[in-house]
Amino acid sequence: MKKFLVVVDMQNDFIDGALGTKEAQAIVPAVVKKIGSYEPDCIFATRDTHGDGYLETQEGKNLPVPHCIRGTKGWEVRSEVAQAMPKAVYVDKPVFGSAQLVRLVEERLREEGIQQEQARIELIGLCTDICVVSNAILFKAMLPEARVAADASCCAGVTPESHRAALETMKMCQVEVLNDPERSGEKEG
């Protein structure tokens, strides 16, 4: 089984910046630990990336909070997370999900002669209910035979309730949810 880790948007603005939460701050140590359990060259990371005209975009009109503006401190990946993954392949994405990210993983599988059913793609990061769920579902849609999972203990949502709803949505779409607090005693598989 070829294992990949996708670290979604562990950026300052989502941790303790413009859109930060105490739940996002709380997962940082678990995210760093999880990164350390993967081969350094099997890690992909996304960065939510906007420009100065963010408030004029559809997203900006629906969420009028400037965040993750390229080149700002808020756009940067949290330092201890970035240091834990020096060989990560970064994908800057202007929207919630990234088809480019999925294509990069798919290309890597092809280059290494690995079939989808021999691949495991685990997602962690922020926010469970927006970018994590969007990318998990893209992976399931584009690589349907790969094992796709999300670690609930390494994700945080906009609210605890929306985090929980996103985990349920992923389960319904056949994304495995690891360390699910709703299933006591269940550990990473």
Side-chain angles (χ1 to χ4, degrees), residues 68-89:
C68 298
I69 307 299
R70 183 186 296 276
T72 65
K73 180 77 173 163
W75 174 74
E76 294 173 7
V77 170
R78 180 59 141 239
S79 62
E80 60 263 48
V81 174
Q83 290 168 9
M85 51 182 194
K87 293 185 177 183
V89 174

Side-chain angles (χ1 to χ4, degrees), residues 10 26 34 67 124 137 173 186:
M10 286 298 295
K34 174 73 71 171
H67 65 280
I124 61 174
I137 290 173
C173 294
E186 181 179 293

Side-chain angles (χ1 to χ4, degrees), residues 39-175:
E39 293 295 321
D41 65 339
C42 292
I43 299 171
F44 291 79
T46 66
R47 286 184 292 223
D48 194 46
T49 303
H50 302 294
D52 291 330
Y54 169 76
L55 292 175
E56 302 306 314
T57 66
Q58 182 175 347
E59 179 183 329
K61 290 174 183 169
N62 287 302
L63 178 63
V65 179
H67 65 280
C68 298
I69 307 299
R70 183 186 296 276
T72 65
K73 180 77 173 163
W75 174 74
E76 294 173 7
V77 170
R78 180 59 141 239
S79 62
E80 60 263 48
V81 174
Q83 290 168 9
M85 51 182 194
K87 293 185 177 183
V89 174
Y90 281 88
V91 176
D92 293 340
K93 57 182 190 51
V95 295
F96 308 136
S98 175
Q100 177 191 5
L101 169 66
V102 179
R103 283 192 293 270
L104 287 171
V105 172
E106 187 176 32
E107 183 178 296
R108 177 82 176 273
L109 291 173
R110 232 185 350 268
E111 287 171 359
E112 295 185 19
I114 299 166
Q115 299 298 311
Q116 284 184 38
E117 55 272 9
Q118 298 169 316
R120 179 177 185 266
I121 301 151
E122 182 176 354
L123 292 93
I124 61 174
L126 305 167
C127 293
T128 320
D129 42 346
I130 301 173
C131 294
V132 174
V133 69
S134 295
N135 284 290
I137 290 173
L138 274 173
F139 272 109
K140 276 312 281 183
M142 296 172 72
L143 296 171
E145 296 304 318
R147 180 177 170 204
V148 180
D151 186 337
S153 70
C154 292
C155 293
V158 174
T159 67
E161 297 78 19
S162 60
H163 167 74
R164 184 82 235 134
L167 296 175
E168 290 304 314
T169 296
M170 286 189 273
K171 286 181 200 176
M172 293 303 296
C173 294
Q174 300 180 1
V175 172

